[in-house]
Amino acid sequence: LDRMIHERMRLGIVSALAVNGTMTFTDLRDVLGATDGNLSAHARRLEDNEYIRCTKSFEGRTPKTEYQLTDRGRRALQAYLDHMESIIQATRNG
């Protein structure tokens, strides 16, 4: 298993981005029920490993942070899901 995305919060982040495309920090925080600090720390780990991309901008004077899954992140999530499916199948057939 990919330890980078096996952690619950990071798996939530990449899954949410896979479904929704681009999400703001606030939207991700609310969907995942995370604190600002917890989401920020996990998003930074994913960004440092090039699984997600972070874009910062302003809407008027308000800062806006958006996240998007990278191709590398999408491949990692697909490999993770494939691995989990094979575990499920082996367990059901065992």
Side-chain angles (χ1 to χ4, degrees), residues 28-48:
L28 263 176
R29 182 196 63 204
D30 294 347
V31 164
L32 299 173
T35 64
D36 287 358
N38 196 15
L39 177 59
S40 181
H42 287 292
R44 173 66 64 169
R45 291 273 320 266
L46 290 166
E47 186 181 5
D48 288 347

Side-chain angles (χ1 to χ4, degrees), residues 16-68:
L17 293 174
V19 170
N20 295 294
T22 301
M23 293 183 75
T24 65
F25 180 90
T26 304
D27 289 340
L28 263 176
R29 182 196 63 204
D30 294 347
V31 164
L32 299 173
T35 64
D36 287 358
N38 196 15
L39 177 59
S40 181
H42 287 292
R44 173 66 64 169
R45 291 273 320 266
L46 290 166
E47 186 181 5
D48 288 347
N49 284 276
E50 299 178 353
Y51 282 24
I52 65 172
R53 181 177 304 111
C54 174
T55 306
K56 295 182 183 265
S57 62
F58 285 89
E59 282 188 354
R61 293 179 183 241
T62 306
K64 181 179 180 181
T65 302
E66 291 183 304
Y67 295 101
Q68 184 176 23

